[in-house]
Amino acid sequence: MVIATSREELSAARQNMRGQIGFAPTMGALHAGHLSLIERAKKENDFVALSIYVNPTQFGAGEDFARYPRKKEADIALCRAAGVDLLFMPENLYGANEPIVCAPLIGASILEGEIRRGHFDGVLTIVTKLFNLIKPMRAYFGKKDAQQLWLIQNMVKSFFMDIEIVACETTRENNGLALSSRNAYLSKSEKTDALKLSRSLFEASRLIKKNETKTAAIVAAILDILQPLKVDYIAIVDREFNALETIKKGETIILIAARVGATRLIDNMWI
Ligand code: AMP
């Protein structure tokens, strides 16, 4: 595995990789969810590249940029064991007075975008920079961050970027909890409370299997399970993030965001 920490090192390493490159951008503190992206990329490409960069522009004021978990040595070992060919860990990817990529208003102002103003501009800007540096043929993203995935697919299409975006299933603990680097913030009792998120989604899926179609009834059932967590949103949308009144099987995503203590968690289910 080649580790590149500068653009020069990256470019030298990249020149030695002739073939299809699958790429997974991450912010590190790697877990089995990240490893599932690597595994999929390994199956579908000649080489796998992974970046670790805690991107400052996607964090708002008062968010957890400074304390976001950083686990350099453990991450390097995990990448090596998983068969990553190129690990890009840059110090800084920004200069002064730079243009940014703006997420479309409709996508950036709902759900995560409404609560985290400017977040998706930061995401799209760093993903564009990383795509230009790594030049992958395919890029792997988790459905766990469904709104991010949708906006990246939209950007790639709109800017005629010649990259295939591969959507990967959410990896969960056996108890249902969606893996996230932010789970590291949770105390033992908070981890039990955090299970309410996945439990509420499983209950929603059970209701839908029993032919409940009204989204208002499903939202009420989810809210009931999430109590007493502070809920940021419960949304039931189609694949283009339009709110739905009735479930359309094969076209629906149920998204929730809630706070467990000081930690903000998101989860979703694709129906
Ligand atoms: P992050 O390091 O949190 O920015 O995530 C990097 C990539 O891993 C993103 O495409 C995420 O959607 C994806 N990811 C994060 N958690 C999971 C998970 N539990 N299962 C699958 N993919 C995930």
Side-chain angles (χ1 to χ4, degrees), residues 18 30 50 55 96 113 116 148 167 184 197 215 257 260:
R18 294 196 190 89
L30 300 180
L50 183 131
N55 172 37
R116 308 184 69 190
Q148 165 177 287
L197 276 81
T215 56
V260 179

Side-chain angles (χ1 to χ4, degrees), residues 76-240:
I76 292 174
L78 281 172
C79 286
R80 203 164 260 135
V84 168
D85 299 289
L86 171 59
L87 173 57
F88 183 44
M89 304 175 86
E91 279 289 312
N92 172 38
L93 291 176
Y94 290 95
N97 289 322
E98 292 191 333
I100 62 166
V101 181
C102 276
L105 200 57
I106 180 69
S109 59
I110 58 169
L111 307 176
E112 287 303 291
E114 184 178 1
I115 290 153
R116 308 184 69 190
R117 290 279 168 194
H119 168 68
F120 288 120
D121 296 349
V123 169
L124 296 187
T125 300
I126 195 63
V127 167
T128 299
K129 283 176 181 262
L130 289 167
F131 281 179
N132 286 335
L133 288 166
I134 307 274
K135 303 181 189 72
M137 176 167 192
R138 299 187 184 85
Y140 294 78
F141 291 90
K143 288 183 173 181
K144 161 85 175 19
D145 298 284
Q147 195 176 356
Q148 165 177 287
L149 171 65
W150 170 57
L151 289 168
I152 288 169
Q153 281 167 330
N154 168 294
M155 173 180 78
V156 164
K157 202 166 136 209
S158 304
F159 290 169
F160 314 114
M161 293 176 168
D162 200 10
I163 296 173
E164 182 190 335
I165 302 300
V166 183
C168 301
E169 296 303 326
T170 298
T171 305
R172 298 177 180 279
E173 287 186 7
N174 287 338
N175 58 19
L177 182 67
L179 292 176
S180 162
S181 305
R182 289 190 168 97
N183 291 351
Y185 300 148
L186 301 171
S187 69
K188 212 169 165 199
S189 69
E190 285 175 339
K191 246 188 147 181
T192 307
D193 287 341
L195 291 176
K196 288 176 189 284
L197 276 81
S198 53
R199 257 188 41 222
S200 72
L201 290 170
F202 295 142
E203 173 62 8
S205 155
R206 194 186 67 83
L207 290 174
I208 292 164
K209 282 196 190 109
K210 279 178 62 190
N211 288 327
E212 179 59 78
T213 57
K214 292 197 186 62
T215 56
I218 294 162
V219 168
I222 292 174
L223 190 57
D224 207 37
I225 293 176
L226 290 178
Q227 301 291 344
L229 301 184
K230 184 185 174 299
V231 176
D232 280 348
Y233 59 76
I234 301 168
I236 304 188
V237 300
D238 66 14
R239 297 285 198 265
E240 292 299 313

Side-chain angles (χ1 to χ4, degrees), residues 247-262:
I247 297 289
K248 292 188 205 158
K249 283 193 185 162
E251 292 174 44
T252 301
I253 311 175
I254 306 177
L255 305 110
I256 55 185
R259 288 167 206 257
V260 179

